[in-house]
Amino acid sequence: MAKKMKSFCLSFCGFLTLSLLVLQIPVPCYAFDIEIDVSPNVLNIQSKSTIVTVHTDIAYKLVDVETVSLNGVDMDWWKYDDRGNFVAKFDSDKIKKLDDLIIGDYTLTLTGDTTDGDTFQGSQEIMVIDNIPAGRRD
């Protein structure tokens, strides 16, 4: 009986050890695409605009807000729209000062993580211009 008990204990300890090792293996994260709508879709470098708004089609409650950025720029604040989808707000001066910003077509990409650890991203092409608004000309 003692031999059976010893064998059972060794088998159980081996099973427990393997189970703990399997639990330590990281679970892969899955990235998925979302739709975004950037406002304004024409960004004038010379304008006095203060906010760039990004509307998404991902549910507000799914977003880990600490991880969201637009081309590497952190959000200033966020909210949900009337459909319960996530909306991100960015300081337009930070967007206007992006190192790789070019006049013409330019792609803005919103990235972040969900509360489950999955990664999401959405992109939209906008037009970047450098015109002094009519009311500000000397």
Side-chain angles (χ1 to χ4, degrees), residues 66-107:
E66 299 298 322
T67 65
V68 177
S69 65
L70 185 65
N71 288 48
V73 175
D74 292 331
M75 280 187 309
D76 280 353
W77 61 283
W78 56 93
K79 66 177 192 164
Y80 57 89
D81 63 16
D82 58 355
R83 295 181 184 171
N85 290 333
F86 183 73
V87 178
K89 304 275 188 171
F90 298 87
D91 180 341
S92 65
D93 287 336
K94 292 177 183 175
I95 303 300
K96 292 174 187 177
K97 292 178 184 172
L98 286 168
D99 289 337
D100 62 345
L101 189 69
I102 58 167
I103 304 301
D105 291 339
Y106 184 76
T107 302

